[in-house]
Amino acid sequence: MLNSLSIQNYALIDQLNVNFDNGFTIITGETGAGKSILLGGLGLILGKRADLSSLRDETKKCIIEAIFEIEKYHLKDFFEENDLDYEARTIIRREILPSGKSRAFINDSPVTLDVLSRLGDNLIDIHSQHQTLQLAENDFQLKVIDALADNRKLLLSFESKLTGYQKIQRELKKLLDFQQNAIKEHDYNTHLLEELEKATLKEGIIEELEEQYEQLNNVESIVEHLSKGYQLLNDEQVGVITLMAELKLVSSKLGTFGSQFESLNERIQSVFIEIDDISSELEVFQEKAEANPNLLEEVNTKLQTLYDLQKKHGSSTISELIEIREVLSEKVSATENVESDIKKKEKELATEEQELNKVAIEIRKRREKIIPTLQKQLSESLSQLGMGNATFKIEINPAKTFNTQGKDELIFLFAANKGSNYGDLKKVASGGELSRIMLTIKSILARYEQLPTMMFDEIDTGVSGEISNKMGDIMQSMSKTMQVFSITHLPQVASKGVHHFKVYKEDEGAVTHTKMKKLTKEERVSELAEMLGGKDVSDSALAHARQLLNG
């Protein structure tokens, strides 16, 4: 419920602080006194867009603050989801700065207007001419039926399953889109992959081939140098091996003259073995080294292929080519496997659709069962409001697609008089009839679910006499289980309230202010008398006012 409202520097309001109680609260005032200003300020608290022109003093900021008791509204999950501090007495503040910027706070935490608006929907339901048009909207009509059918848990289950179903739908679409695009690229990617796989890519392959190419391309020079080296080692007269053999003989003799010469001898012996081994290796290399034009061409072809692949794929290293090969392999594999993935996802979607249909059918059965009750309650309540011949024709048929409220198409038709054709509410019902229907629906909803604070903005426009009295009774009855406000021009309705506030204008010098005050019992008598007979209050008007208040 709304505990208090504070407004500063808004339109004709300089400063306004007002506290509210539970039950039925009446707000009255002359046309133009500022009731719409009050609603405008309250609308800002509920997330409506701010307008810089609404600042009374454009050099100061506008501050609107409201305190709500929210313990009964089961909003802890909302606060947790939006990372807000939950308080049973929640404070909402809205600021409009002279710069035109707007700020919103919930329990001193800054929030977006979207968050504020969604919270506001759970706190106050302001009935206006615009909201009356909701009567013709399918979503609102289903909400009424679902409240009576107690479908809340089923709808939560359905919504959860629908979220999963829609996720699978998106995944399937992604696979289908991928398949459509991938088919076009598949042949080309396969060709690229085959090229890279034939190249037998591995780290260091280019360096290895380049070395092999250099050797094959310079085989004559290599043979010449190998031969020269072998000759230097093995010449019979001055070859290194011949000389080393003599040195080896000398060192062997020296080794017999003491340990210090033995060490030298071992070193010379080791060098001789190493040189002899080098000679053998030179001989082997010389025997193997021969011109091989075919192999040279093969190596050259492999190198050129690798160079071309690097250029083609814009890579500077073999590592990059290997990475490209792996990516192409994944793409080709994914394309080849996507058909089975699609079938798997379609099967998964069909299973989820069956589950959704089961819940949707259960929701529909409960709706169909409760429709006669709703039609009866609507007709009975409207009969009390002077619409004794009003009837409704409500039908539910299966829809082709799912929506957040199930899988139903609702036909909600209305006839105001006997013999009249049924038609859409907004087409066949007058403004006064729509208001009475909306009040009736709200009163029925109040019996089945915890509604937020209800504020009726001149819902009794266009009615008078006994009908307005009955409308007041309905709002008074609703206020037994919830907080109800009624902005009214009718004394019959105003007399039903437990609390009565008056909005009025007051001139202070050259400035006009909108103010609001809670009326005492005697002040209520005077206010009702004015509403009955005008500014010149007669004794009979006062007597009538007291009679209305004493009910």
Side-chain angles (χ1 to χ4, degrees), residues 22-38:
N22 208 347
F24 191 21
T25 298
I26 297 296
I27 299 175
T28 59
E30 295 179 359
T31 301
K35 297 186 294 297
S36 61
I37 295 174
L38 182 70

Side-chain angles (χ1 to χ4, degrees), residues 449-466:
E449 63 177 20
Q450 178 68 50
L451 295 180
T453 291
M454 192 71 62
M455 183 168 286
F456 294 104
D457 180 18
E458 298 184 359
I459 195 171
D460 46 27
T461 299
V463 299
S464 59
E466 184 58 25

Side-chain angles (χ1 to χ4, degrees), residues 25 33 138 188:
T25 298
N138 210 5
Y188 181 60

Side-chain angles (χ1 to χ4, degrees), residues 254-266:
L254 277 173
T256 62
F257 295 111
S259 60
Q260 67 271 32
F261 298 118
E262 178 62 29
S263 174
L264 181 61
N265 176 49
E266 289 175 358

Side-chain angles (χ1 to χ4, degrees), residues 478-495:
M478 291 174 66
S479 72
K480 293 177 181 178
T481 57
M482 60 187 296
Q483 187 183 38
V484 178
F485 290 85
S486 178
I487 298 173
T488 182
H489 287 293
L490 298 179
Q492 292 90 343
V493 174
S495 67

Side-chain angles (χ1 to χ4, degrees), residues 261-475:
F261 298 118
E262 178 62 29
S263 174
L264 181 61
N265 176 49
E266 289 175 358
R267 290 169 63 192
I268 291 172
Q269 297 293 329
S270 176
V271 170
F272 179 81
I273 294 170
E274 181 66 21
I275 289 175
D276 188 56
D277 186 60
I278 290 172
S279 173
S280 299
E281 200 161 337
L282 284 170
E283 186 177 18
V284 171
F285 280 142
Q286 191 175 348
E287 291 173 355
K288 288 183 177 180
E290 60 179 356
N292 190 337
N294 292 332
L295 183 58
L296 177 63
E297 180 63 27
E298 184 183 332
V299 171
N300 183 54
T301 301
K302 287 181 179 179
L303 272 174
Q304 196 57 50
T305 298
L306 291 173
Y307 294 151
D308 290 344
L309 286 173
Q310 284 184 317
K311 183 178 180 181
K312 186 174 188 176
H313 293 282
S315 62
S316 58
T317 65
I318 290 296
S319 295
E320 291 178 4
L321 277 181
I322 291 173
E323 288 180 11
I324 292 168
R325 182 188 66 190
E326 297 306 316
V327 170
L328 285 169
S329 179
E330 289 177 6
K331 285 185 177 181
V332 170
S333 177
T335 304
E336 292 171 349
N337 295 329
V338 71
E339 187 65 36
S340 62
D341 291 341
I342 287 172
K343 288 181 179 178
K344 181 180 178 182
K345 194 61 67 176
E346 286 175 337
K347 186 176 180 181
E348 191 178 343
L349 188 68
T351 301
E352 289 297 315
E353 187 172 351
Q354 285 181 346
E355 292 299 315
L356 267 177
N357 276 319
K358 286 180 183 177
V359 182
I361 290 170
E362 182 61 26
I363 291 171
R364 185 180 307 126
K365 287 178 179 178
R366 295 170 69 92
R367 285 170 174 169
E368 290 172 338
K369 186 177 180 180
I370 204 66
I371 282 175
T373 301
L374 175 60
Q375 291 179 151
K376 181 181 179 183
Q377 290 184 8
L378 283 171
S379 297
E380 289 176 351
S381 296
L382 288 174
S383 179
Q384 297 175 25
L385 297 179
M387 297 172 65
N389 295 320
T391 56
F392 289 86
K393 182 180 180 181
I394 305 172
E395 295 179 0
I396 292 179
N397 298 311
K400 292 181 180 179
T401 58
F402 297 112
N403 57 62
T404 55
Q405 291 176 295
K407 196 180 180 183
D408 292 333
E409 288 181 348
L410 186 66
I411 300 173
F412 200 103
L413 303 177
F414 171 73
N417 303 297
K418 288 182 178 181
S420 299
N421 293 326
Y422 284 98
D424 288 339
L425 276 170
K426 61 183 178 182
K427 293 180 179 179
V428 300
S430 67
E433 288 171 337
L434 284 173
S435 292
R436 280 177 273 178
I437 294 169
M438 178 60 91
L439 177 60
T440 297
I441 286 176
K442 293 289 187 183
S443 67
I444 292 172
L445 278 174
R447 303 174 201 167
Y448 292 91
E449 63 177 20
Q450 178 68 50
L451 295 180
T453 291
M454 192 71 62
M455 183 168 286
F456 294 104
D457 180 18
E458 298 184 359
I459 195 171
D460 46 27
T461 299
V463 299
S464 59
E466 184 58 25
I467 303 303
S468 62
N469 193 49
K470 290 292 184 181
M471 292 181 78
D473 287 338
I474 291 174
M475 287 184 274

Side-chain angles (χ1 to χ4, degrees), residues 129-255:
Q129 187 64 35
H130 170 73
Q131 197 202 39
T132 299
L133 298 178
Q134 284 185 335
L135 282 169
E137 294 176 2
N138 210 5
D139 286 351
F140 180 79
Q141 294 166 354
L142 283 172
K143 180 182 176 182
V144 175
I145 293 173
D146 286 328
L148 273 67
D150 193 20
N151 274 339
R152 190 175 67 86
K153 289 184 179 179
L154 274 175
L155 285 169
L156 287 174
S157 173
F158 180 85
E159 188 175 349
S160 175
K161 291 181 183 296
L162 181 62
T163 299
Y165 176 79
Q166 291 171 335
K167 180 184 177 184
I168 297 172
Q169 276 186 319
R170 291 192 297 270
E171 292 170 349
L172 177 59
K173 184 179 183 304
K174 189 175 179 181
L175 283 172
L176 291 169
D177 290 343
F178 173 79
Q179 184 188 44
Q180 186 175 2
N181 295 325
I183 286 173
K184 301 174 185 176
E185 301 177 4
H186 180 63
D187 291 342
Y188 181 60
N189 286 338
T190 301
H191 170 69
L192 294 178
L193 179 61
E194 288 174 352
E195 282 184 336
L196 291 171
E197 287 178 337
K198 284 179 181 178
T200 318
L201 302 175
K202 64 178 182 178
E203 294 289 348
I205 184 66
I206 285 184
E207 292 79 8
E208 183 182 317
L209 288 170
E210 286 176 340
E211 183 180 300
Q212 190 177 5
Y213 178 82
E214 283 298 312
Q215 291 178 6
L216 289 167
N217 196 43
N218 295 281
V219 67
E220 292 179 0
S221 179
I222 290 172
V223 169
E224 181 183 342
H225 291 310
L226 287 171
S227 178
K228 182 75 177 286
Y230 184 79
Q231 186 179 354
L232 287 171
L233 289 175
N234 291 283
D235 187 272
E236 291 183 0
Q237 299 299 323
V238 293
V240 173
I241 291 178
T242 300
L243 294 175
M244 281 299 299
E246 292 181 10
L247 179 60
K248 176 184 172 187
L249 183 60
V250 170
S251 68
S252 295
K253 291 177 180 180
L254 277 173

Side-chain angles (χ1 to χ4, degrees), residues 65-68 87 89-93 105-108:
E65 186 172 284
I67 299 177
F68 292 88
E87 299 289 345
R89 283 173 62 85
T90 283
I91 301 174
I92 298 178
R93 186 172 78 257
F105 303 86
I106 297 175
N107 292 330
D108 286 329

